[in-house]
Amino acid sequence: MDLRAPKGTQDILPPESERWRRVLDLAHRLFHVYGYREIILPVMEYTEVFARGLGEGTDIVRKEMFTFLDKGGRSLTLRPEATAGVARAFVQHRLDKAGMPVKLYYCGPMFRHERPQKGRYRQFHQLGVELMGSSHPSADAEVILLCSEFLRSLGIASRLVLNSVGDASCRPAYEEALRAYLHGRAEELCPDCRRRMEVNILRVLDCKERQCAGVIAGAPGLGDYLCEACRHHLQAVEELLGAAGVEFSREERLVRGLDYYTRTVFEFQDPVLGGQNALAAGGRYDRLVEEMGGESVPAVGFSVGLERVMNAGPSFPPGGREGIYLVAMGKEARKQAFLMARHLRAEGLRCDLDHLDRSLKAQMKEADRQGYRFCIILGEEELRGEYLTLRDLETGTQERLEAEGGRRVEAVLRRLEAWMVTRWKQTPGS
RNA sequence: GUGGGGGUAGCUCAAUCGGCAGAGCACUGGGUUGUGGCCCCAGAGGUCGCGGGUUCGAGUCCCGUCCCUCACCCCA
């Protein structure tokens, strides 16, 4: 094969695309119910949006971005995540001036230049929410609850882990203490961790290397260094989650890869998957909007990895047969079927007919293969006798519909009305 | 960037010691001159990833190369 989709990207074909559609429809409905509204952003930003937003030292900014120059020589980057772009748009359009909080959700492709593997792609899709303008613990709790509800409604079991990474008033002191501790035992750490000490020291805590485990176990705990305000915040979030019946566990070693997080961080993990087990993750980012040049606006959000969610096997009730396939034989009947299809479609009914000049048998086979509920047979006999033959492909029963004066569409609609067959015209916006 | 596994029909895969490239599913047609699914019959479908080498003969052995995949790192 000469031409393929680029490495780490994939085509999502039917029927898989239909599973995606269902997940997205459910998400849109659920986020709407929680009072969030959609924001649609460019998939590229000027590079400094991410460099400043995520932190120069993060892996994403250092080596995972698709970056290129536009014709004016300005550096652009395909978004590796969405939150920085949301913050940029928030500042650009002065959304804080129109009244807060601002509750937004987004959905779309993200890009990271990494070696692909299961659950990790160069183009992947995220769906997420941002609640901006509130520092109240109930904002954190709502966002976490929403994420939890989303996964639960898909029938996906997941484990929620929660932590606080402190804020500007307490984290520096902790990092100092951690640095002092690790400095004395640097020889015992893996090479990666020695590098992490310089770049983002918190992530040493997250290391899975055996040799580091002992060192990490003896390290000062972040929890002990949280300031009074952060401690109360975390406690309040936990209380609300508990009251809402959301199960979680405290994970003192949980640290996020992006610099913008403050206080609350969390992750929903797939209990069965090994490596790429983070289905969704998020946290509070009280400094990001200011970093983008706006006022100081606290915010909290999450993002779910759609490929990973799809991989976790969301369960749906099986979709049934739907629509009508018009089977026609002979030139005049085909013409009549063509016109009937046009009218039935205008009524919002899923409807199709043969375009390959195939036999009646082959047309019926196609109707079955494409999942149509009904077949309407229109041949010489039907034309002459002014009736239609309607066959239910599910039950295998067949009947005759009278259509005097060639009023075929009316005959069909009248009959289907009795079954309350779905039409999009009757359920706009769903 | 570092390792492991793998590339044969549209898909999932087989092919013994180096000896005529196959199966299941899917597809098309027929069995039924106007009736889907189940069954039966038939058909179509191949650059054995690519290039070179060894050999009378290579899907199979050797060298190179490309691609896919899983894992590490990191992350959704």
Side-chain angles (χ1 to χ4, degrees), chain A residues 252-328:
Chain A
E252 265 223 86
R253 296 189 352 266
L254 179 68
V255 167
R256 312 266 65 239
L258 306 175
D259 286 357
Y260 57 58
Y261 285 111
T262 52
R263 293 189 168 171
T264 313
V265 295
F266 58 91
E267 193 169 300
F268 286 83
Q269 300 171 344
D270 187 304
V272 291
L273 291 179
Q276 321 302 326
N277 69 344
L279 294 170
R284 175 164 282 286
Y285 50 97
D286 290 344
R287 295 201 321 266
L288 179 61
V289 173
E290 198 171 1
E291 194 69 37
M292 286 291 150
E295 307 279 305
S296 172
V297 175
V300 57
F302 72 78
S303 166
V304 318
L306 276 179
E307 283 80 1
R308 291 183 185 181
V309 162
M310 297 312 297
N311 200 263
S315 49
F316 305 108
R321 291 178 167 279
E322 184 203 342
I324 307 163
Y325 196 92
L326 300 175
V327 172

Side-chain angles (χ1 to χ4, degrees), chain A residues 48-62 65 199 203 257-260 288 291-292:
Chain A
E48 51 265 39
V49 170
F50 304 117
R52 246 200 286 164
L54 313 191
E56 302 273 2
T58 59
D59 275 27
I60 289 179
V61 172
R62 277 181 38 245
M65 299 201 302
V199 182
R203 269 183 293 160
L258 306 175
D259 286 357
Y260 57 58
L288 179 61
E291 194 69 37
M292 286 291 150

